[in-house]
Amino acid sequence: MAGLSHGGDHVAAALQAAGADCLFTLCGGHIAPILSAAKARGLRIVDTRDEATAVFAADAQARLTGRPGVAAVTAGPGISNTITALKNAQLAQSPLILLGGAAPTALQGRGALQDIDQRPLVAPHVKRFFKLRRVADLAGAVREAWALALEGVPGPVFLECPVDLLYDEASIRGWYADAAGKGSGVADRLMRWYLNRHASRLFADHHRVQISPPATALVPQASERAVAQAAARLSRAERPLMVIGSQALLRAGQAEALADAVSRLGVPVYLSGMARGLLGRDHPLQRRHARRNALREADCVLLAGVPCDFRLDYGKHVRRSTPLIAANRSRQDATLNRRPDVLAQGDAGDFIERLAARDLPHASWGGWLEQLAERDRTREQEIDVQAARAGEYVNPLAFFRAMDVAAAADAIFVADGGDFVSTASYVLRARGPLAWLDPGAFGTLGVGAGFALGASMARPGRELWIVFGDGACGWSLAEIDSFVRQGFAVIMVVGNDAGWTQIAREQVKMLKDDVGTVLARSSYHRVAEGLGAAGLCVQRADEVQPALQQARQLAAGGQPVLLNLWLDKTEFREGSLSM
């Protein structure tokens, strides 16, 4: 195809045809042609200070748009640095494409720079590992990877792109000619013959490549029989309950339709993960507290995109005698630790929409709805009492009450931390669909900056907050430089209680030892200032409101800002020794 100047351009052209609008990266010589060609074709290159951040960013963009995010990293340590973020995306079922560099094909296994066997490192964490060996195969692999990332249960896909496939043919042949030397001996002549033939294989047919968009991924649908069975179970119930998880929002463009379906269905609901905010801030069906009690009292439970893992005590939160409906794209997730009475294997969001279309009778559920609502009101009053307690520094509950009022009506919240973030989840209310980002089932710390970059690209112009624990923020501080250089005006709140408090709570109680959990009241705002952002330090309750207002003004003016919030210790939450 005319206009494809080198292998990197083949990759960029295929991404462009698929609809990619940006690429997250940390630069490296192995992948430079991809970055240059992508930029030339109009894709925005967002560069980071850590390869994991680039993958976290691609993950976040995928969650918010419903299409694959794309990251590119260099060979060897560049790829090994992504493994945690890659696994996080796999467990969160996020569609993304990771382009990884590799040593030249003729030198792999011979001690080349950053040359390792990357397949065993990466393959367990992706849907497919593409090991490419011809320039002509690059664009087709991108096209196939894009469709595969979205197919069935979405997830990451990896493309290994050796450096000699990415640069132009003349340069690569020149490199190989230099490597072969000028000697006239038999060995020298054989080496030149071998490398010349190898290069011919690399570049065979690359001028004939045609760029085309990927196939549209079909949305897997549960059977009509499963919908009918679920409708019958819910119609007979007096105390039905629904839990909706991230997987129900995989069709990001259908979030509003899903919210409408939940409203019409009339079943009280708990929202988790990416489903937070699905119904807005104050929907009468949404419940926020005492989920475990509600599940045990329910006489029919629908889990939509939610497995019975540790978060539901491996299914023990639902009584064995209670009919269980599991809607999930993954049969393994739908049957994990608990065999459902109705297995609806397919997209959970689509299943809820089809269920709502049956117009189930729910007049008898009024008493159950009021019982759950009253329990929520009681818990909110308890939180208000705890938030009113004054201390030496700032009460985290009072802070989140204030932040909940101050943040914009369309704000997006990124959660990265333990104790401080868990407190936020009880108080801070997601504004609407796809306006809350947390790591997911892997419980990964360090997602904050990457998720913020991905969200900034997916939702430009939206007010964006990162809620950091002071432990978790350590992974992201260098990325303040990335925010400043590239114009991402993020508001960062660091809950500074000088410790890994979520761990310390249980550790001290059980072992009477705080070893490894103690931090300092570090001047994180000074770090932000050193990297070009604004820094604010809040130590007293009367400083909270002015600081929130100032932070929003600074961000609205285009400057990232970090609010270093000195916290009082509280007894609001228990520790988190999860098994």
Side-chain angles (χ1 to χ4, degrees):
M1 179 178 179
L4 294 177
S5 55
H6 52 66
D9 198 27
H10 284 240
V11 173
L15 290 173
Q16 181 185 42
D21 60 0
C22 73
L23 189 155
F24 302 98
T25 191
L26 195 159
C27 65
H30 289 85
I31 58 167
I34 296 175
L35 307 185
S36 177
K39 177 186 173 184
R41 289 184 174 272
L43 278 70
R44 179 165 181 184
I45 307 302
V46 179
D47 64 281
T48 66
R49 301 296 294 270
D50 187 292
E51 288 89 356
T53 301
V55 176
F56 284 136
D59 179 348
Q61 188 189 38
R63 298 188 197 194
L64 294 179
T65 64
R67 66 174 186 268
V70 185
V73 301
T74 199
I79 289 168
S80 63
N81 282 346
T82 70
I83 297 302
T84 296
L86 202 59
K87 192 66 181 183
N88 193 76
Q90 182 192 47
L91 293 179
Q93 299 175 349
S94 296
L96 68 83
I97 295 173
L98 178 58
L99 305 168
T105 53
L107 296 178
Q108 289 181 9
R110 298 181 61 194
L113 174 67
Q114 298 180 334
D115 179 29
I116 59 172
D117 185 358
Q118 296 173 159
R119 184 188 293 275
L121 187 67
V122 175
H125 318 297
V126 296
K127 296 183 76 172
R128 183 173 170 187
F129 183 108
F130 285 82
K131 194 173 182 70
L132 298 166
R133 284 294 178 268
R134 297 194 323 142
V135 175
D137 296 334
L138 289 167
V142 171
R143 183 172 60 250
E144 187 176 353
W146 188 279
L148 180 59
L150 291 166
E151 180 183 291
V153 179
V157 181
F158 181 83
L159 275 67
E160 183 182 79
C161 305
V163 63
D164 52 346
L165 270 62
L166 299 180
Y167 284 85
D168 65 277
E169 183 173 5
S171 295
I172 296 302
R173 286 188 179 277
W175 290 346
Y176 279 153
D178 290 341
K182 307 297 183 183
S184 58
V186 173
D188 295 315
R189 284 184 283 132
L190 283 174
M191 177 61 72
R192 284 194 292 273
W193 172 83
Y194 167 76
L195 290 176
N196 185 61
R197 188 184 67 163
H198 184 79
S200 295
R201 289 176 175 173
L202 292 182
F203 291 97
D205 299 323
H206 74 282
H207 292 300
R208 300 178 183 175
V209 170
Q210 298 293 315
I211 303 297
S212 59
T216 301
L218 298 177
V219 176
Q221 293 186 316
S223 68
E224 194 60 32
R225 181 170 179 266
V227 176
Q229 289 177 331
R233 295 279 188 172
L234 288 170
S235 295
R236 293 194 294 268
E238 296 181 358
R239 299 182 306 281
L241 195 67
M242 183 159 54
V243 182
I244 300 179
S246 297
Q247 196 198 78
L249 275 295
L250 288 175
R251 302 174 305 146
Q254 294 296 110
E256 296 291 349
L258 175 58
D260 178 68
V262 172
S263 295
R264 287 186 286 112
L265 194 57
V267 176
V269 60
Y270 287 88
L271 304 174
S272 64
M274 289 297 296
R276 286 178 181 271
L278 175 65
L279 302 178
R281 297 177 65 176
D282 300 299
H283 197 283
L285 288 176
Q286 183 178 348
R287 303 277 57 91
R288 301 180 187 278
H289 303 296
R291 185 177 72 178
R292 178 182 302 186
N293 291 342
L295 283 167
R296 287 175 175 168
E297 294 164 356
D299 63 358
C300 183
V301 172
L302 167 56
L303 300 181
V306 178
C308 285
D309 59 14
F310 70 95
R311 292 166 293 184
L312 293 180
D313 197 16
Y314 308 97
K316 295 176 185 175
H317 286 180
V318 182
R319 292 176 301 168
R320 288 288 175 184
S321 59
T322 299
L324 179 63
I325 305 163
N328 206 294
R329 292 196 184 202
S330 165
R331 184 181 183 88
Q332 179 179 349
D333 283 357
T335 58
L336 185 66
N337 297 311
R338 182 73 183 268
R339 187 171 185 174
D341 297 275
V342 178
L343 172 59
Q345 187 176 350
D347 183 77
D350 173 78
F351 177 77
I352 292 172
E353 291 177 34
R354 291 162 62 197
L355 199 56
R358 288 178 172 257
D359 194 23
L360 304 184
H362 48 76
S364 63
W365 300 342
W368 170 236
L369 285 166
E370 178 55 29
Q371 177 185 336
L372 295 176
E374 177 58 28
R375 185 179 291 162
D376 266 20
R377 287 192 290 268
T378 299
R379 181 56 175 145
E380 289 292 333
Q381 292 168 0
E382 293 171 352
I383 292 173
D384 284 339
V385 170
Q386 291 175 291
R389 293 173 184 166
E392 183 179 3
Y393 301 119
V394 178
N395 182 320
L397 290 166
F399 172 79
F400 284 124
R401 285 284 197 234
M403 180 177 161
D404 192 51
V405 172
D410 65 348
I412 296 174
F413 301 131
V414 171
D416 186 10
D419 197 73
F420 189 54
V421 164
S422 296
T423 300
S425 70
Y426 284 90
V427 180
L428 197 58
R429 301 190 179 208
R431 277 22 192 173
L434 300 169
W436 175 280
L437 281 160
D438 62 30
F442 205 26
T444 310
L445 294 182
V447 303
F451 276 14
L453 289 169
S456 294
M457 290 303 300
R459 299 285 188 270
R462 296 275 288 273
E463 187 174 273
L464 180 59
W465 299 70
I466 308 177
V467 178
F468 278 125
D470 54 345
C473 79
W475 278 279
S476 291
L477 288 175
E479 300 297 353
I480 296 174
D481 167 76
S482 303
F483 296 152
V484 171
R485 284 186 297 101
Q486 296 169 99
F488 297 112
V490 178
I491 303 171
M492 297 160 274
V493 178
V494 178
N496 189 346
D497 60 1
W500 297 91
T501 303
Q502 183 160 302
I503 305 303
R505 288 182 187 277
E506 202 74 24
Q507 180 175 311
V508 172
K509 183 171 66 176
M510 296 180 67
L511 302 175
K512 315 302 180 191
D513 193 342
D514 64 2
V515 60
T517 68
V518 179
L519 298 172
R521 297 269 187 187
S522 298
S523 298
Y524 300 109
H525 58 296
R526 300 294 186 204
V527 176
E529 291 172 348
L531 291 169
L536 306 174
C537 186
V538 174
Q539 298 183 14
R540 301 191 312 273
D542 61 356
E543 298 171 344
V544 168
Q545 291 284 4
L548 287 171
Q549 182 179 357
Q550 186 179 1
R552 294 190 66 217
Q553 290 172 345
L554 287 164
Q559 187 174 22
V561 55
L562 185 147
L563 196 161
N564 183 14
L565 182 71
W566 284 33
L567 298 178
D568 280 323
K569 301 287 187 181
T570 74
E571 299 303 322
F572 178 67
R573 299 183 59 255
E574 290 294 322
S576 65
L577 186 61
S578 295
M579 296 292 185

